[in-house]
């Protein structure tokens, strides 16, 4: 959700699945928010949470699909892009976290690759948006050569571990910044 949140100039706030977290509720109030985007289906964020948000006089828009892939796809469709980041949709959380700030900064949707179907859910999005560059995040165990080969101008950024992958991302995208 990071690139989507950046596009909306909104923070990402976490909550419990069944009830609105008190700290999150306080932060929404402190921010003076008027709109809330709930990312994920009712199994991730229940209708009860949405009701609590609406009771706070907030406009609530849920972005969800039948799966994590279709939910991510709906977020991608909201972002006009020329490049994408591709992460494993099952085991790629660390890779997604590593690329998220870069993806947000570059207005780059994060595409989830399925171990069984690759980027099938996103193929039309990639084609329609004439994606020019794909950053494949993680090694071949995370995203196969076959999946990477089908992506436009694929650049693999992956190491032997999540830490090495993170270091490669830093080296690639933070060349003009001092990092401590």
């Amino acid at each position: 959700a990071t690139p989507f949140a950046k596009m909306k100039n909104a923070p990402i706030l976490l909550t419990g699945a069944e009830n609105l977290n008190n700290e999150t509720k306080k932060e929404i109030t402190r921010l003076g928010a008027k709109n809330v985007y709930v990312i994920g289906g009712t199994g991730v964020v229940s209708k009860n949470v949405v009701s609590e948000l609406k009771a706070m006089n907030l406009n609530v828009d849920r972005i969800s699909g039948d799966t994590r892939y279709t939910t991510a796809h709906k977020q991608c469709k909201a972002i006009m892009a020329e490049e994408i980041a591709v992460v494993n949709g099952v085991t790629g959380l660390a890779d997604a976290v590593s690329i998220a700030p870069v993806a947000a900064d570059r207005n780059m949707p994060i595409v989830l690759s399925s171990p069984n179907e690759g980027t099938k859910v996103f193929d039309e999005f990639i084609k329609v948006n004439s994606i020019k560059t794909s950053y494949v995040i993680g090694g071949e165990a995370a995203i196969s050569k076959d999946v990477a080969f089908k992506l436009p101008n694929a650049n693999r950024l992956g190491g032997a571990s999540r830490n090495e992958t993170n270091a490669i991302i830093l080296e690639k995208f933070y060349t003009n910044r001092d990092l401590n």
Side-chain angles (χ1 to χ4, degrees), residues 11-171:
I12 296 174
L13 303 175
L14 304 177
T15 190
E18 296 300 323
N19 295 297
L20 186 60
N21 175 294
N22 284 332
E23 293 303 314
T24 300
K25 187 182 279 191
K26 287 178 193 174
E27 185 62 8
I28 291 169
T29 302
R30 186 191 73 76
L31 291 169
K34 306 244 185 295
N35 302 300
V36 173
Y37 297 91
V38 174
I39 309 299
T42 56
V44 178
V45 180
S46 71
K47 291 179 182 179
N48 184 54
V49 172
V50 170
S51 294
E52 289 183 65
L53 292 166
K54 287 180 178 179
M56 295 172 65
N57 294 319
L58 297 164
N59 298 315
V60 180
D61 186 11
R62 183 185 293 270
I63 298 174
S64 69
D66 294 338
T67 66
R68 66 181 65 190
Y69 301 95
T70 54
T71 297
H73 180 255
K74 287 184 178 185
Q75 292 173 70
C76 286
K77 286 173 39 177
I79 302 169
M80 299 305 294
E82 292 186 355
E83 56 187 4
I84 57 173
V86 182
V87 300
N88 184 299
V90 176
T91 62
L93 178 59
D95 294 337
V97 169
S98 289
I99 197 63
V102 173
D105 190 48
R106 296 171 68 106
N107 200 38
M108 178 172 34
I110 298 175
V111 167
L112 304 182
S113 177
S114 163
N116 298 325
E117 297 184 346
T119 59
K120 180 180 177 182
V121 171
F122 301 89
D123 288 348
E124 184 68 18
F125 168 81
I126 292 168
K127 181 180 176 183
V128 167
N129 286 282
S130 301
I131 298 299
K132 293 176 179 44
T133 305
S134 306
Y135 295 102
V136 178
I137 311 302
E140 290 177 16
I143 299 174
S144 72
K145 284 183 185 180
D146 291 340
V147 170
F149 180 75
K150 294 176 185 175
L151 295 167
N153 192 24
N155 296 284
R156 185 176 295 274
L157 304 174
S161 68
R162 62 180 57 171
N163 294 332
E164 283 185 24
T165 296
N166 183 259
I168 290 167
I169 290 168
L170 292 174
E171 289 171 9

